[in-house]
């Protein structure tokens, strides 16, 4: 749902916000009994930004969590994040990180210096599971748990405990308010740091979205940091300004001093370099000559190792097409032994390759597309070689010769053909149930008529019904079988006019599978929509896309598939197939049209590749939009049959 719609929905409601009543400066009751603090001011900013109304309810933190869980309040203004709480509530992004510290009497500062010194003494702390587990891990059972920070601090002030573990900001606030700052020491011992955020009831995505969006905006403006600093920082605004001014002047002074030192240092370094540079030049030149010799030898060895260990055949020629080098893989592809390295003219494959290249050059001069691969049938075996012949240039950008690269793609082509056949058979297998159902219906009607012939043959009314329905059922069987045969038989594109209704004739077979899987199927077809395509190829595309949609919604709660056929503009129409399935991540979307890429347990990943190629052959385009856990939409754009084309056909027919 867009943010504007969420806000309109939320404006009619007063949200109840729970806040801890004794956690200054984050949230606490002021002298009038109203909640105030960092959390409350932040919630007010959120309310002002979005035109919302918040009602604040002071509570103990455990009471607030229970109230939120029961739906009595809509959010808790300030709650430390934990994995246990995350299972019950939804948290916004954090806006503060806090940890508990040790608060001890000043008289105990020599006795207690860290958390390891509190093993055997009486401790009071708020009932906070992460901190409690940390203390229990120290094997200290002399504990007192309280419901809020104020109660725990009072126990420490009344000598009913030796150490209080709590938030240092809250402790500082209460000690200052009670005039006990000089009598107690706060040790900055970081205990279980946790993110501080706003919690809403699990599933309340609208309120969570609004709060998250606003916090992000306030953070970008620096208002969140400013709000926290106003409550947490002990300095007043004037003191901070004076301190900033002093720091600025100090920085300028240090910067000037550093620049002077840098200038002096650079001057000294340049003097030293000027003395040493001439003596080192001769030494470096001598070392460079020796290294250059070694690099040249290493380069030749490295080049030979690369050329003889790659899977591509490499042959180089000079400007007159005289062979200058040839690697081992090239000899294997050309079926020649090692001792004939520079006598490649004895290879029939090599001669056919050059003949094919010269023929391709002639085609390119006539602006005809030329594929740089050659198929050779030798001794009854088919061999497919992809090759490329490119010019080579020296360091002066002058042509020095030619580079021929070859790859034997025979096994790859065989495997691709097997996998394409497997993908086709896999798709046909899924049609069997639907075809059987579609054939059974007309057969049932035919059988019924045949059973009634002996008894009602002489009745004119029966004869009329028989002659009306029996041929239609036979034609229906013929259409099903014809569509199935046309789908399985590969053809070159046969572009012709085709109505949108004709495209859906084969898709009705899939409705059996959809009913079995309780999938809701809806279709909208714009009237008078005529495409200029190969109907059988586009039917195959739609069938592949619908099979993918069925697979996507099989494991989701909302199982729904829509197909929409409508005009996009005067020249193009579009077919949209929408599902409410599991969707795809961006990483999957980047590879869906690649051959052999699949996320299914079965199949070889050629369905979308074949569909993409068929759409391109029909002068169309395909686009996909997918959101994880929400669904996927495939949009196929195809050319429409234009009135001008109809008129031209009519003129041709008259001639």
């Amino acid at each position: 749902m867009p943010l504007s719609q969420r806000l309109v929905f939320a404006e009619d409601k007063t949200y109840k916000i729970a806040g801890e009543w004794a956690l200054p400066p984050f949230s606490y009751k002021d002298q009038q009994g109203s909640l105030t603090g960092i959390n409350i001011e932040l919630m007010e900013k959120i309310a002002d930004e979005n035109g919302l109304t918040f009602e604040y309810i002071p509570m103990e933190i455990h009471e607030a969590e229970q109230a939120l869980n029961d739906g009595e309040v809509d959010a808790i203004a300030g709650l430390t994040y934990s994995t246990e709480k995350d299972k019950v509530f939804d948290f916004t992004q954090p806006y503060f990180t806090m940890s508990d510290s040790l608060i001890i009497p000043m008289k105990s500062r020599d006795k207690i210096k860290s958390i390891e010194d509190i093993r055997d003494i009486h401790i009071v702390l708020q009932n906070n599971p992460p901190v409690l587990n940390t203390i229990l891990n120290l094997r200290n059972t002399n504990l007192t748990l309280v419901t809020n920070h104020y109660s725990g601090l009072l126990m420490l002030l009344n000598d009913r405990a030796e150490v209080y573990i709590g938030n240092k900001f809250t402790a500082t606030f209460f000690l200052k308010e009670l005039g006990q700052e000089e009598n107690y020491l706060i040790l900055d011992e970081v205990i279980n740091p946790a993110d501080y955020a706003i919690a809403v009831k699990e599933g309340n995505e609208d309120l969570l979205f609004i709060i998250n969006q606003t916090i992000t905006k306030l953070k970008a403006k620096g208002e969140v940091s400013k709000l926290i600093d106003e409550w947490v920082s002990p300095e007043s605004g004037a003191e901070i300004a004076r301190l900033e001014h002093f720091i600025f002047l100090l920085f300028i002074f240090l910067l000037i001093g550093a620049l002077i030192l840098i200038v002096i240092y650079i001057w000294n370094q340049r003097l030293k370099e000027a003395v040493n540079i001439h003596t080192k030049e001769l030494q470096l030149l001598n070392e460079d000559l020796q290294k250059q010799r070694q690099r040249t030898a290493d380069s030749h060895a490295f080049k030979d190792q690369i050329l003889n260990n790659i899977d591509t055949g490499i042959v180089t020629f000079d400007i007159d097409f005289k062979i200058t080098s040839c690697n081992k893989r090239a000899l294997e592809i050309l079926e020649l032994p090692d001792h004939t390295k520079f006598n490649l003219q004895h290879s029939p494959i090599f001669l056919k390759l050059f003949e094919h290249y010269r023929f391709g050059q002639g085609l390119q001069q006539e602006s005809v597309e030329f594929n740089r691969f050659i198929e050779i049938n030798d001794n009854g075996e088919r061999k497919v070689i992809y090759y490329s012949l490119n010019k080579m240039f020296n360091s002066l950008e002058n042509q020095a010769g030619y580079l021929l690269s070859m790859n034997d793609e025979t096994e790859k082509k065989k495997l691709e053909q097997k996998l394409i056949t497997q993908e086709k058979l896999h798709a046909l297998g899924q049609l069997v149930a639907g075809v059987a159902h579609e054939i059974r219906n007309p057969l049932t009607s035919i059988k019924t008529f045949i059973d009634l012939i002996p008894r009602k043959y002489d009745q004119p009314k029966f004869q009329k019904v028989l002659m009306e329905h029996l041929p239609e059922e036979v034609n229906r069987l013929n259409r099903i079988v014809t569509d199935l045969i046309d789908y399985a038989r590969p053809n070159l594109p046969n572009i012709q006019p085709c109505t949108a209704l004709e495209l859906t004739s084969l898709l009705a077979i899939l409705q059996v599978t959809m009913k079995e899987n309780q999938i809701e199927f809806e279709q909208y077809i714009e009237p008078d929509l005529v495409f200029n395509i190969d109907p059988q190829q586009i039917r195959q595309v739609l069938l592949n896309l619908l099979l993918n949609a069925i697979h996507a919604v099989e494991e989701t709660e909302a199982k729904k598939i829509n197909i929409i056929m409508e005009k996009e503009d005067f020249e193009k129409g579009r077919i949209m197939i929408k599902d409410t399935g599991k969707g795809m991540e961006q990483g999957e979307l980047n590879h869906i049209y690649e051959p052999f890429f699949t996320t299914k347990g079965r199949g070889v990943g050629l369905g979308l590749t074949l569909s993409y190629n068929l759409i391109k052959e029909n002068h169309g385009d395909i686009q996909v939009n997918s959101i994880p856990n929400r669904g996927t939409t495939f949009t196929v754009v195809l050319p429409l049959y234009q009135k001008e084309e109809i008129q031209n056909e009519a003129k041709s027919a008259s001639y």
Side-chain angles (χ1 to χ4, degrees):
M1 184 184 293
L3 179 58
S4 59
Q5 295 181 13
R6 295 176 186 262
L7 295 179
V8 171
F9 174 78
E11 284 176 354
D12 299 329
K13 179 179 178 180
T14 298
Y15 291 89
K16 294 183 179 181
I17 311 298
E20 194 168 356
W21 69 272
L23 189 66
F26 300 96
S27 64
Y28 65 100
K29 290 199 294 186
D30 58 15
Q31 295 179 353
Q32 288 76 30
S34 300
L35 278 177
T36 186
I38 296 173
N39 299 336
I40 307 306
E41 288 194 14
L42 179 60
M43 294 300 293
E44 281 299 297
K45 287 181 179 291
I46 293 172
D48 294 339
E49 284 283 334
N50 299 283
L52 305 178
T53 303
F54 290 158
E55 177 186 355
Y56 303 100
I57 304 173
M59 292 183 176
E60 296 284 358
I61 192 63
H62 66 278
E63 294 175 349
E65 293 178 3
Q66 185 62 42
L68 182 58
N69 193 36
D70 295 340
E72 297 175 2
V73 297
D74 297 290
I76 299 176
L79 186 66
T80 53
Y81 174 85
S82 67
T83 55
E84 291 77 15
K85 295 177 183 178
D86 192 36
K87 297 176 182 177
V88 182
F89 309 124
D90 285 339
F91 285 82
T92 66
Q93 59 175 297
Y95 56 88
F96 191 77
T97 300
M98 65 164 57
S99 63
D100 289 329
S101 302
L102 303 179
I103 296 90
I104 62 173
M106 195 65 73
K107 61 185 179 182
S108 301
R109 60 183 177 182
D110 295 329
K111 177 183 176 183
I112 302 174
K113 296 183 179 180
S114 67
I115 193 172
E116 296 181 358
D117 299 328
I118 63 172
R119 294 179 183 273
D120 301 318
I121 61 179
H122 187 193
I123 303 170
V124 61
L125 71 160
Q126 191 178 16
N127 189 6
N128 187 348
V131 180
L132 181 59
N133 291 334
T134 300
I135 302 304
L136 292 177
N137 288 336
L138 294 175
R139 301 183 181 179
N140 188 339
T141 59
N142 190 9
L143 304 173
T144 299
L145 301 180
V146 294
T147 58
N148 58 69
H149 288 271
Y150 184 73
S151 300
L153 199 60
L154 284 180
M155 288 187 64
L156 181 66
L157 268 60
N158 293 327
D159 294 328
R160 294 171 58 190
E162 298 176 77
V163 175
Y164 168 64
I165 298 179
N167 186 295
K168 71 174 183 178
F169 302 105
T170 302
T172 301
F173 184 94
F174 282 134
L175 289 174
K176 184 176 182 181
E177 187 176 64
L178 298 172
Q180 296 290 331
E181 288 180 284
E182 297 180 358
N183 298 328
Y184 290 86
L185 178 65
I186 298 177
L187 299 178
D188 283 331
E189 185 80 8
V190 178
I191 303 174
N192 295 98
D195 288 334
Y196 205 51
I198 299 168
V200 301
K201 189 172 183 179
E202 188 175 27
N204 193 352
E205 296 182 357
D206 291 340
L207 184 58
L208 182 68
F209 180 83
I210 292 171
I211 296 175
N212 264 329
Q213 287 288 95
T214 310
I215 290 177
T216 301
K217 186 187 300 182
L218 293 175
K219 281 185 175 180
K221 294 179 180 179
E223 293 186 16
V224 174
S225 299
K226 182 179 179 181
L227 172 62
I228 294 173
D229 290 340
E230 288 175 357
W231 283 88
V232 173
S233 299
E235 296 85 2
S236 64
E239 291 174 344
I240 293 175
R242 286 195 297 271
L243 182 59
E244 290 178 347
H245 182 67
F246 173 75
I247 292 174
F248 176 76
L249 293 178
L250 181 60
F251 173 76
I252 295 298
F253 176 77
L254 293 176
L255 181 62
I256 294 173
L259 289 175
I260 293 173
L261 292 175
I262 291 172
V263 170
I264 295 173
Y265 175 78
I266 293 174
W267 181 258
N268 287 332
Q269 289 297 111
R270 288 183 176 179
L271 289 176
K272 291 180 180 179
E273 290 176 359
V275 174
N276 296 328
I277 191 169
H278 294 291
T279 56
K280 289 183 178 180
E281 284 181 352
L282 292 175
Q283 181 180 357
L284 291 174
L285 287 173
N286 185 41
E287 292 176 356
D288 284 343
L289 287 174
Q290 295 179 358
K291 290 179 180 179
Q292 185 64 35
R293 293 174 182 172
Q294 185 62 41
R295 281 197 296 267
T296 302
D298 293 343
S299 176
H300 287 298
F302 187 63
K303 181 194 71 173
D304 291 340
Q305 293 179 49
I306 291 176
L307 290 175
N308 289 318
N309 287 281
I310 61 175
D311 197 45
T312 300
I314 300 294
V315 182
T316 59
F317 309 86
D318 61 13
I319 197 69
D320 297 322
F321 280 94
K322 182 179 179 181
I323 298 171
T324 55
S325 67
C326 179
N327 69 347
K328 292 182 180 179
R329 182 55 181 161
L331 295 175
E332 292 174 359
I333 294 174
L334 299 175
E335 300 178 354
L336 291 172
D338 291 341
H339 64 273
T340 58
K341 181 174 293 187
F342 296 102
N343 296 319
L344 302 184
Q345 63 271 20
H346 297 299
S347 169
I349 297 176
F350 184 74
L351 297 177
K352 290 179 181 179
L353 188 147
F354 259 92
E355 181 181 352
H356 184 267
Y357 176 75
R358 287 195 295 270
F359 175 73
Q361 290 293 98
L363 289 179
Q364 288 180 336
Q365 292 176 359
E366 299 176 4
S367 300
V368 178
E369 185 176 354
F370 170 60
N371 296 320
R372 293 181 178 271
F373 70 91
I374 182 172
E375 295 188 17
I376 300 171
N377 291 300
D378 191 12
N379 299 324
E381 294 184 1
R382 175 174 174 263
K383 196 167 187 177
V384 180
I385 299 176
Y386 280 80
Y387 70 91
S388 175
L389 185 64
N390 301 303
K391 296 179 180 179
M392 293 193 305
F393 298 89
N394 57 23
S395 59
L396 301 177
E397 298 298 327
N398 296 323
Q399 184 177 350
Y402 299 89
L403 172 68
L404 172 65
S405 59
M406 301 174 290
N407 285 285
D408 190 346
E409 302 286 340
T410 304
E411 293 300 324
K412 180 179 177 182
K413 285 296 179 182
K414 290 180 181 178
L415 179 60
E416 286 180 1
Q417 192 61 41
K418 290 181 181 178
L419 293 177
I420 290 172
T421 304
Q422 181 181 344
E423 181 75 17
K424 189 83 169 184
L425 293 176
H426 175 68
L428 286 173
Q430 297 188 49
L431 293 176
V432 171
V435 171
H437 179 82
E438 290 295 319
I439 291 177
R440 188 181 295 115
N441 290 336
L443 285 178
T444 302
S445 300
I446 294 171
K447 183 178 182 300
T448 302
F449 282 119
I450 293 173
D451 291 341
L452 293 174
I453 286 175
R455 288 184 293 150
K456 298 185 177 184
Y457 178 75
D458 295 332
Q459 299 179 11
K461 185 177 181 180
F462 173 75
Q463 292 177 3
K464 181 180 179 181
V465 174
L466 179 66
M467 296 305 295
E468 180 180 350
H469 293 284
L470 191 60
E472 177 61 28
E473 297 299 327
V474 173
N475 290 334
R476 183 178 174 187
L477 283 173
N478 184 59
R479 284 196 302 270
I480 294 172
V481 174
T482 300
D483 286 341
L484 189 61
I485 292 174
D486 289 341
Y487 167 74
R489 181 175 56 216
N491 291 318
L492 293 174
N494 181 19
I495 305 300
Q496 58 182 286
C498 177
T499 66
L501 290 174
E502 290 175 339
L503 283 179
T504 61
S505 61
L506 184 62
L507 303 182
I509 298 173
L510 293 178
Q511 294 184 7
V512 177
T513 303
M514 295 183 186
K515 291 179 180 178
E516 292 177 353
N517 291 277
Q518 298 180 346
I519 299 172
E520 180 182 353
F521 178 71
E522 296 180 359
Q523 63 180 11
Y524 167 76
I525 301 176
E526 188 173 305
D528 303 327
L529 189 62
V530 182
F531 294 101
N532 193 36
I533 54 172
D534 184 321
Q536 300 304 330
Q537 291 186 348
I538 300 304
R539 282 196 190 109
Q540 180 176 344
V541 171
L542 298 183
L543 185 60
N544 286 340
L545 295 179
L546 282 171
L547 288 174
N548 287 343
I550 292 172
H551 175 78
V553 301
E554 284 179 346
E555 300 178 359
T556 59
E557 294 182 2
K559 300 181 179 181
K560 186 174 182 180
I561 298 175
N562 290 352
I563 180 169
I564 301 171
M565 297 187 183
E566 60 186 5
K567 288 184 179 179
E568 182 175 84
D569 53 34
F570 180 73
E571 297 180 349
K572 296 179 181 178
R574 62 185 172 196
I575 304 172
M576 292 188 292
I577 298 177
K578 302 180 180 180
D579 66 66
T580 58
K582 57 186 178 180
M584 292 178 283
E585 300 287 348
Q586 187 60 46
E588 296 178 70
L589 291 174
N590 293 337
H591 302 282
I592 58 172
Y593 299 122
E594 295 180 4
F596 316 115
F597 176 80
T598 180
T599 58
K600 301 179 183 178
R602 296 175 297 172
V604 294
L606 290 175
L608 284 176
T609 305
L610 293 174
S611 298
Y612 179 84
N613 292 334
L614 291 176
I615 291 170
K616 290 299 182 181
E617 289 178 2
N618 283 265
H619 311 292
D621 194 12
I622 183 171
Q623 299 156 2
V624 59
N625 183 27
S626 185
I627 301 175
N629 301 320
R630 292 193 180 181
T632 301
T633 300
F634 278 92
T635 303
V636 179
V637 180
L638 296 169
L640 293 176
Y641 195 66
Q642 302 296 328
K643 293 182 179 179
E644 290 77 3
E645 296 177 4
I646 298 175
Q647 295 172 356
N648 292 336
E649 287 188 358
K651 292 179 180 179
S652 299
S654 64
Y655 291 149

